[in-house]
Amino acid sequence: MKRIEAIIASEKVNAVNEALKKAGVGGATILDAKGRGKGEKPRVAGGRGTSAHLAEFSVRANVITVVDDGDVDRVIKAILDAASTGSAGDGKIFVSSVGEAVDIGSKKRSQSGMV
């Protein structure tokens, strides 16, 4: 099993979620996040709208799912197709191995397939 974690622009969450559904992903966790990186920093207006400054962080979303090893390339392609604009700051995808998963409701353990 592989854990796929994508840091994307928050306005791309719905498109990525739909792409994951079409790719056959059964579930995902989506968290609101702030981050900084190569992308353009957003401008923030002052209290009365008379001044503006660059925000330290950009608003991002963290999309996490766990898939079988054979599904990794398809899921990455789905995320890239939905989230990429070709610009710096589009985000990152991280893939890591999952040694074991436990379904809390059924208490079933899995080491090679999904629970």
Side-chain angles (χ1 to χ4, degrees), residues 33-55:
K34 293 188 290 185
R36 61 178 183 80
K38 294 180 183 176
E40 185 175 324
K41 293 184 179 182
R43 287 197 154 289
V44 178
R48 296 180 179 217
T50 57
S51 65
H53 66 280
L54 291 179

Side-chain angles (χ1 to χ4, degrees), residues 10-91:
S10 32
E11 61 267 14
K12 297 290 187 175
V13 167
N14 289 334
V16 169
N17 186 47
E18 288 304 314
L20 290 174
K21 287 180 191 177
K22 288 179 184 173
V25 174
T29 300
I30 300 169
L31 306 168
D32 292 329
K34 293 188 290 185
R36 61 178 183 80
K38 294 180 183 176
E40 185 175 324
K41 293 184 179 182
R43 287 197 154 289
V44 178
R48 296 180 179 217
T50 57
S51 65
H53 66 280
L54 291 179
E56 178 66 25
F57 302 105
S58 297
V59 178
R60 295 285 178 246
N62 187 352
V63 180
I64 305 164
T65 190
V66 178
V67 300
D68 287 324
D69 290 2
D71 296 331
V72 171
D73 290 337
R74 182 169 31 106
V75 172
I76 288 173
K77 182 179 181 333
I79 295 168
L80 289 173
D81 289 348
S84 178
T85 66
S87 301
D90 278 348

